[in-house]
Amino acid sequence: QKEVEQNSGPLSVPEGAIASLNCTYSDRGSQSFFWYRQYSGKSPELIMSIYSNGDKEDGRFTAQLNKASQYVSLLIRDSQPSDSATYLCAVNGDNFNKFYFGSGTKLNVKP
Amino acid sequence: EAQVTQNPRYLITVTGKKLTVTCSQNMNHEYMSWYRQDPGLGLRQIYYSMNVEVTDKGDVPEGYKVSRKEKRNFPLILESPSPNQTSLYFCASSSLAGALGPDTQYFGPGTRLTVL
């Protein structure tokens, strides 16, 4: 059984702080990693994708991947109340075409 | 506007009454997929399709059928719905531009299904 684990939260941070979201996965063959954001009652939308070990930055968001530790994280700098949402970690399976999602971490950014 | 559409958005039905949820995308994507989302369980993949007439099982395919007769459409069929299929369903599509499989998935607005 492929697993993607996330802390369900809620993670509460003050406005302007750094939010750190973590995800571990069980399938060593996984090659593609995604962070999606889902507002309440809405569909998921992509924040970032990452494929290689190391950091990938896009504006206020940084994704970090460590395949040896089977760990992927998302850092949100200068958190805003509009960042309050559930963040879903997604990983592809060893055939690359199947996807496994974590149950999501709920982030609350307090003004 | 590039989008994935699903219909209906809400559906209440009874056990055993066959139903179809439609999904259509206008982005010429090869890859399409169905997910169900349940509290505490996240998104679980039901079926996916790499192209027309090419479909494969995801993690939770039991009780569902799909077909891909046209590139833009990927309907989800519940032949005999049961209460444990009450869930929020999302359709998604993606291009296959990379060597590592589907890239960004674009999700439809969701279909909330209740089976009594």
Side-chain angles (χ1 to χ4, degrees):
Chain A
Q1 180 71 16
K2 318 286 187 185
E3 292 184 347
V4 178
E5 300 284 345
Q6 294 181 255
N7 188 322
S8 61
L11 173 65
S12 292
V13 300
E15 183 175 355
I18 295 175
S20 178
L21 307 167
N22 304 314
C23 172
T24 59
Y25 61 94
S26 64
D27 186 355
R28 284 199 172 274
S30 297
Q31 296 292 330
S32 301
F33 306 87
F34 304 87
W35 282 100
Y36 287 87
R37 177 176 62 197
Q38 186 175 26
Y39 291 113
S40 181
K42 301 294 185 183
S43 54
E45 56 182 354
L46 184 77
I47 296 293
M48 290 194 70
S49 58
I50 187 166
Y51 305 96
S52 304
N53 281 327
D55 294 359
K56 179 182 178 183
E57 186 174 321
D58 184 1
R60 296 187 295 112
F61 299 93
T62 299
Q64 299 173 317
L65 175 61
N66 184 326
K67 290 184 181 178
S69 300
Q70 294 175 246
Y71 174 92
V72 58
S73 66
L74 180 70
L75 299 177
I76 307 174
R77 290 181 300 281
D78 189 24
S79 295
Q80 301 297 309
S82 59
D83 295 326
S84 297
T86 296
Y87 289 79
L88 305 172
C89 173
V91 175
N92 72 347
D94 54 7
N95 79 350
F96 294 174
N97 301 319
K98 292 178 77 167
F99 285 89
Y100 301 91
F101 282 74
S103 57
T105 297
K106 183 167 180 150
L107 173 66
N108 290 329
V109 181
K110 300 178 180 178
Chain B
E1 179 190 355
Q3 61 182 348
V4 179
T5 57
Q6 294 179 228
N7 282 293
R9 295 287 312 279
Y10 303 91
L11 179 60
I12 300 174
T13 189
V14 296
T15 298
K17 186 176 181 182
K18 180 179 178 180
L19 67 92
T20 299
V21 184
T22 64
C23 173
S24 184
Q25 50 95 5
N26 63 1
M27 294 170 278
N28 200 36
H29 284 163
E30 298 85 359
Y31 183 90
M32 297 186 74
S33 183
W34 276 102
Y35 297 89
R36 61 178 288 174
Q37 187 172 35
D38 302 289
L41 295 178
L43 284 161
R44 292 181 291 167
Q45 192 172 38
I46 302 171
Y47 271 95
Y48 64 92
S49 170
M50 301 296 290
N51 214 322
V52 175
E53 303 293 0
V54 182
T55 63
D56 209 344
K57 296 177 180 178
D59 216 26
V60 288
E62 296 79 17
Y64 304 94
K65 285 176 57 177
V66 293
S67 67
R68 187 95 181 269
K69 295 187 173 69
E70 301 168 287
K71 194 173 185 179
R72 63 183 292 128
N73 296 324
F74 190 45
L76 178 70
I77 303 156
L78 284 72
E79 294 268 2
S80 182
S82 62
N84 65 12
Q85 293 178 297
T86 293
S87 187
L88 178 60
Y89 291 86
F90 287 103
C91 180
S93 73
S94 173
S95 68
L96 290 174
L100 297 178
D103 196 5
T104 303
Q105 292 188 71
Y106 296 87
F107 286 83
T111 295
R112 189 166 291 281
L113 172 66
T114 301
V115 183
L116 302 175

